[in-house]
Amino acid sequence: MKKKSFAAIALTSCIALGATFTGCSLISTNNKLDMERVIATVDISKSDKFDAEDLETYKSAVSSTKIIKRELISYFLNVGYSYIQNGSSYEDTFNALINALIDNAVLVQYSTVELLKANPSVLDAFVKETDEVEKYKLLLDEDDINLATYKLYYSINTAIDNFEKEVIDEEDDGYKGTDKRTTPTNLNTEQDDYYPYIEKDGKKVLNYGIYTGYNNNTLENSGVYQDDALDGTKRSTRIKAYNKFVNNLRNNNLVDSETEAENFTNILELKYIKVEYASQLESRIINKYYDIYEKEQEDKLLTDNYIQTVYEELLTSQTENFSKSVSSFDSAMTSMSSSSFILYSPSTNDSDWDKDFAKFGFIYNILLPFNSRQNVQLNALKSIQTADGNYDYYYAERNRLLKSIETEDQRSAWFNGETDYSFKPEESFGDYFGKSSGREYLFFEDNLTDSEKGGRYKKLQAYDGRYSYNGRVFKNEDESYTLIPNKLNIDDMLAEFSAYVNHVVGPNSVEFYNGYTPANSNDNYYLQDKFVKDGTKDEIDYEKLIYAEGKVKFEYDNKNLMNPETDQYKAMSAVNELQFAYTTDVGVLSNYIGYSVTAYDTSYIKEFEYAAKKAISNGEGSFSVCAGDYGWHLIYVTNVFEEGETYKELDWLNNVKVEGTFENLFFEWIKGNDLSDISTTKRTKILNDFNKDTSVTKYENRYQDLLDLDK
């Protein structure tokens, strides 16, 4: 779970955001001396509450924090200017910003005292140290300091990247992709508290540097940043970008044009950067105190049967609500996620649908569509059907069209789009699907190759990643790709489906019903007739529109739906990846565990609804292929709700720390809600106790010109 912070603001975001902002008229009106004016001071040791909490021992460790006008301007450029664009006045905006800066200073000072209480041995050294950065480092460990440095360097590189993109685009007349296709959840998302390092003499040394192009700040010396560098970067483009970056800071009086002009190439010597580094360390101090506080609160949540109590309260509430209103349950299904749970499923005894199919569930949908020519023919058939009601003829002829559908890999945008996500796996990558037939390209190298424990990136959610591009790939001189995809009819698609799921889950995991064999064309399918049920002229026999059915064999446990170690998760990940590769129904992509299907009438087309409900009735891992007016639907069941309580035989003690289990997700949700409330309450108490007139002084006349910008 991503840690929350007591900090009211993240000052260090100023670099990443402010560097892309070109400034506004209010900046030029403030000269150097004005920008250095102290506009507020904070010293919580002067508060009566400081002595009341028996903190007198640490009074010498708290020195007055001075908030200068430059900080307020910097904060405005990153956050406040958007307030103005959304209709706030300058006066309200600047008052809100300075209050946030003051709150942040109070929290830093309080957290400092708490860390000193936890480690009093450093108190004397802390008091004697005169350098602010070195003082902060005394409170932090190796990981904290490296993480603060990494976040600073990363934000600087990101800011310069934004300028370099412009420079490269101006100089490069090569291929620029614009196509887009949805990408999997967690793409390029770093692990919480990650930073790159190498071991030297038993210490972790940050393996990440700033790339400016000047002096020793070259790409070769930037460590892991080399993996993040822009395509087309070279020293000349980086220097141009860095110059723009510094000029932007200079134009906003965040870099002194006189005293720092000669040393601007030494980025770490710029006063503004030093201030930002101190802000990063302050953030780590607050987070470190929060870690201690969070651990205390987390231990409380794990005691006294608290989790079970919360679970039972939610179960009781949902049982009462969903039993009275199925529409409430339907609504809950559409918002189900790893932090929004369904603990109870209502009865479907009064369903108007076939009782055998009256269940609720979730499905994936791989849509293989008609092409434009086939759609013209289909529309012609529809007009005939409308004219004489000849349903049997319409469906038989539509089936002939369906048999001629050919699909292909839809991931061309991951080659030729705005970002090239493709890569050729090295031999060390191991086996992947399609390797033996000469298919060479996979996608999302960072997440796939650097997501193990201790790695940089999080794993992609419900996405295995070993299904190679299905076709031939040629890289052109302009860095674009020429793609020759393999064509697949429905039987070929089912062969791919079966083979890839077996590749991920294990041999013979996929079982087809009714003797169907993938890649062995069912020639008699399109010859079926009598699609209208006997005795009812306008009621369609949807059973005859199901082309193939089957099931992926695994031991299902709904408590392990998102547990990466289980076969059911692996199967879901394989099918989800095939969705990304083939479906033209992009609405289902990155949609947690797919579309929700109610036990009652839906807004889906009837062929799809019937096939989905029938597959759901067969349980998790079931699949079916049905005909429809849009093309073929390959439907896979990810989750099914049985009537009554959803989760049984819960084991909080053993599973609460097991990734992806229901117990783990539920506990993380409780932490997210309860600890957020607890920390907000604690934060409010700290500010109420120490943000007082005795400890905070504002010099409003020194920033009155900013408050008066509306006048």
Side-chain angles (χ1 to χ4, degrees):
M1 173 182 163
K2 192 171 179 63
K3 291 183 172 63
K4 295 180 175 63
S5 171
F6 286 141
I9 58 176
L11 292 178
T12 46
S13 67
C14 293
I15 292 175
L17 300 179
T20 63
F21 183 70
T22 56
C24 62
S25 59
L26 72 93
I27 304 303
S28 60
T29 64
N30 293 277
N31 60 33
K32 173 188 171 185
L33 292 177
D34 186 43
M35 293 288 278
E36 297 297 331
R37 298 182 81 183
V38 175
I39 58 176
T41 59
V42 178
D43 185 348
I44 66 170
S45 68
K46 294 180 179 179
S47 168
D48 295 338
K49 191 67 176 178
F50 197 87
D51 293 332
E53 290 196 5
D54 196 25
L55 299 174
E56 189 172 351
T57 304
Y58 304 96
K59 187 168 279 191
S60 60
V62 179
S63 56
S64 178
T65 298
K66 297 177 181 179
I67 299 173
I68 63 174
K69 198 169 186 177
R70 185 191 306 277
E71 293 177 58
L72 182 59
I73 296 295
S74 177
Y75 195 24
F76 173 81
L77 292 177
N78 291 276
V79 179
Y81 196 70
S82 64
Y83 296 173
I84 301 298
Q85 292 176 318
N86 290 326
S88 295
S89 68
Y90 280 99
E91 181 176 10
D92 289 344
T93 297
F94 277 107
N95 278 328
L97 295 181
I98 194 167
N99 288 336
L101 288 166
I102 289 169
D103 287 350
N104 194 73
V106 169
L107 293 169
V108 171
Q109 290 185 7
Y110 183 85
S111 299
T112 296
V113 171
E114 289 296 321
L115 293 182
L116 287 170
K117 285 172 62 179
N119 187 17
S121 63
V122 303
L123 178 60
D124 289 342
F126 185 87
V127 172
K128 292 176 182 177
E129 181 59 62
T130 57
D131 183 272
E132 181 182 42
V133 166
E134 295 305 317
K135 286 173 77 79
Y136 288 153
K137 286 182 177 180
L138 290 171
L139 301 174
L140 302 171
D141 59 25
E142 182 179 62
D143 287 331
D144 290 317
I145 295 170
N146 281 336
L147 184 59
T149 308
Y150 172 63
K151 287 185 176 295
L152 174 72
Y153 290 3
Y154 185 90
S155 64
I156 294 172
N157 278 331
T158 300
I160 303 173
D161 285 347
N162 290 331
F163 288 112
E164 192 179 16
K165 286 176 185 176
E166 298 174 3
V167 174
I168 292 174
D169 287 345
E170 290 170 359
E171 296 183 359
D172 181 17
D173 58 358
Y175 178 82
K176 297 179 181 65
T178 57
D179 292 344
K180 293 182 180 180
R181 185 168 177 81
T182 305
T183 52
T185 302
N186 284 341
L187 178 64
N188 294 337
T189 302
E190 287 190 349
Q191 300 280 3
D192 299 336
D193 295 346
Y194 161 84
Y195 68 86
Y197 68 89
I198 54 177
E199 294 267 1
K200 282 188 178 180
D201 300 326
K203 292 185 177 181
K204 296 178 181 178
V205 178
L206 183 67
N207 185 27
Y208 189 92
I210 302 171
Y211 173 37
T212 68
Y214 283 108
N215 305 324
N216 291 322
N217 297 123
T218 61
L219 185 60
E220 294 74 20
N221 293 330
S222 64
V224 171
Y225 172 75
Q226 294 178 72
D227 298 333
D228 303 337
L230 299 175
D231 288 338
T233 186
K234 50 189 176 183
R235 193 162 189 170
S236 61
T237 59
R238 196 64 175 184
I239 287 175
K240 287 180 181 178
Y242 177 66
N243 290 345
K244 289 186 175 185
F245 168 74
V246 173
N247 283 334
N248 198 36
L249 296 179
R250 183 185 289 123
N251 291 338
N252 291 311
N253 283 316
L254 298 175
V255 168
D256 189 341
S257 297
E258 296 178 8
T259 60
E260 296 186 296
E262 295 182 359
N263 295 320
F264 83 94
T265 60
N266 297 315
I267 186 169
L268 295 180
E269 295 302 313
L270 298 179
K271 184 187 298 184
Y272 175 71
I273 300 301
K274 291 180 178 180
V275 170
E276 290 297 329
Y277 184 46
S279 294
Q280 279 288 5
L281 293 172
E282 288 176 346
S283 294
R284 298 316 306 164
I285 285 171
I286 294 174
N287 284 345
K288 187 166 185 176
Y289 167 60
Y290 180 76
D291 286 344
I292 296 172
Y293 183 75
E294 180 192 52
K295 183 63 170 63
E296 294 172 352
Q297 303 307 316
E298 185 176 320
D299 289 343
K300 292 179 181 179
L301 295 181
L302 288 168
T303 59
D304 301 327
N305 211 30
Y306 181 78
I307 307 174
Q308 181 66 26
T309 300
V310 174
Y311 172 84
E312 290 174 354
E313 289 175 351
L314 182 59
L315 174 61
T316 300
S317 173
Q318 290 190 357
T319 301
E320 181 178 354
N321 188 23
F322 296 159
S323 296
K324 293 179 179 178
S325 172
V326 174
S327 62
S328 296
F329 181 77
D330 286 344
S331 177
M333 286 181 69
T334 61
S335 60
M336 180 175 162
S337 70
S338 59
S339 60
S340 180
F341 306 98
I342 293 178
L343 308 186
Y344 175 84
S345 177
S347 170
T348 58
N349 289 333
D350 60 346
S351 172
D352 294 332
W353 198 263
D354 188 325
K355 297 298 185 293
D356 292 335
F357 296 170
K359 290 184 178 181
F360 301 93
F362 284 87
I363 55 96
Y364 284 151
N365 176 41
I366 301 177
L367 173 61
L368 312 181
F370 291 109
N371 61 30
S372 57
R373 178 183 56 80
Q374 292 163 341
N375 271 317
V376 170
Q377 294 175 276
L378 185 67
N379 288 331
L381 287 172
K382 286 180 179 178
S383 65
I384 296 172
Q385 175 200 21
T386 304
D388 63 10
N390 193 339
Y391 293 98
D392 284 336
Y393 176 77
Y394 171 74
Y395 286 109
E397 291 303 307
R398 190 183 70 175
N399 283 354
R400 292 178 188 273
L401 285 178
L402 284 158
K403 286 293 289 183
S404 65
I405 284 178
E406 286 188 324
T407 190
E408 63 185 43
D409 199 312
Q410 301 290 310
R411 296 174 292 179
S412 61
W414 293 353
F415 287 100
N416 290 324
E418 293 179 334
T419 302
D420 178 6
Y421 294 113
S422 67
F423 74 99
K424 279 187 176 183
E426 297 178 358
E427 197 60 36
S428 59
F429 181 86
D431 194 22
Y432 62 87
F433 188 83
K435 182 178 181 180
S436 60
S437 57
R439 289 155 56 172
E440 298 181 299
Y441 281 84
L442 296 175
F443 305 93
F444 316 126
E445 181 175 15
D446 289 339
N447 290 84
L448 295 185
T449 61
D450 196 16
S451 61
E452 298 304 315
K453 187 174 182 181
R456 179 176 184 179
Y457 295 97
K458 293 184 178 180
K459 291 183 178 180
L460 298 173
Q461 182 174 294
Y463 187 97
D464 185 84
R466 290 178 289 168
Y467 186 77
S468 59
Y469 178 76
N470 192 358
R472 300 178 66 188
V473 180
F474 301 91
K475 194 164 187 178
N476 304 317
E477 291 184 2
D478 65 357
E479 300 298 314
S480 68
Y481 295 85
T482 296
L483 307 173
I484 304 177
N486 294 323
K487 301 293 184 179
L488 283 71
N489 62 25
I490 187 58
D491 298 304
D492 299 328
M493 181 68 237
L494 284 170
E496 285 286 296
F497 173 88
S498 176
Y500 187 55
V501 173
N502 285 336
H503 181 86
V504 174
V505 181
N508 303 315
S509 296
V510 178
E511 176 185 33
F512 283 85
Y513 300 155
N514 303 321
Y516 173 81
T517 302
N520 181 14
S521 181
N522 184 349
D523 292 329
N524 292 323
Y525 176 74
Y526 69 91
L527 295 177
Q528 293 184 88
D529 55 8
K530 297 186 182 301
F531 291 93
V532 178
K533 291 183 178 179
D534 293 340
T536 309
K537 183 177 180 181
D538 58 354
E539 186 177 352
I540 306 304
D541 187 354
Y542 295 111
E543 179 68 27
K544 290 186 176 180
L545 298 177
I546 292 180
Y547 181 70
E549 296 176 282
K551 192 167 189 176
V552 182
K553 295 176 288 186
F554 51 72
E555 184 177 345
Y556 176 75
D557 180 358
N558 63 350
K559 298 189 296 295
N560 278 290
L561 180 63
M562 302 304 290
N563 183 348
E565 300 302 317
T566 63
D567 284 346
Q568 65 193 43
Y569 181 87
K570 293 174 183 177
M572 184 169 68
S573 299
V575 179
N576 187 35
E577 187 175 2
L578 291 172
Q579 276 193 139
F580 278 96
Y582 291 103
T583 192
T584 56
D585 174 18
V586 295
V588 76
L589 300 178
S590 289
N591 194 4
Y592 194 50
I593 55 172
Y595 289 139
S596 61
V597 178
T598 180
Y600 302 89
D601 286 344
T602 74
S603 60
Y604 300 126
I605 63 172
K606 287 304 180 182
E607 298 99 318
F608 179 88
E609 179 179 338
Y610 180 91
K613 288 182 175 181
K614 186 179 182 186
I616 287 172
S617 72
N618 290 329
E620 295 81 4
S622 297
F623 60 88
S624 65
V625 178
C626 75
D629 280 349
Y630 298 110
W632 292 111
H633 296 272
L634 199 171
I635 299 165
Y636 176 81
V637 179
T638 59
N639 191 40
V640 176
F641 290 101
E642 301 295 338
E643 180 182 337
E645 185 176 353
T646 303
Y647 301 100
K648 300 178 177 66
E649 299 180 3
L650 294 171
D651 187 349
W652 301 111
L653 181 63
N654 292 315
N655 290 337
V656 77
K657 299 293 185 180
V658 179
E659 179 188 357
T661 62
F662 167 76
E663 294 93 334
N664 169 254
L665 295 175
F666 194 78
F667 179 58
E668 291 295 327
W669 171 71
I670 290 177
K671 284 170 58 180
N673 286 332
D674 289 33
L675 288 187
S676 178
D677 292 342
I678 291 169
S679 63
T680 298
T681 301
K682 179 65 174 178
R683 177 185 180 280
T684 301
K685 185 178 186 306
I686 294 170
L687 296 177
N688 287 341
D689 288 346
F690 296 104
N691 190 347
K692 302 282 190 180
D693 291 341
T694 54
S695 53
V696 175
T697 303
K698 293 182 184 178
Y699 302 101
E700 189 170 307
N701 62 309
R702 300 179 184 178
Y703 57 93
Q704 187 66 47
D705 57 326
L706 300 176
L707 303 179
D708 292 341
L709 284 171
D710 289 308
K711 299 176 181 178

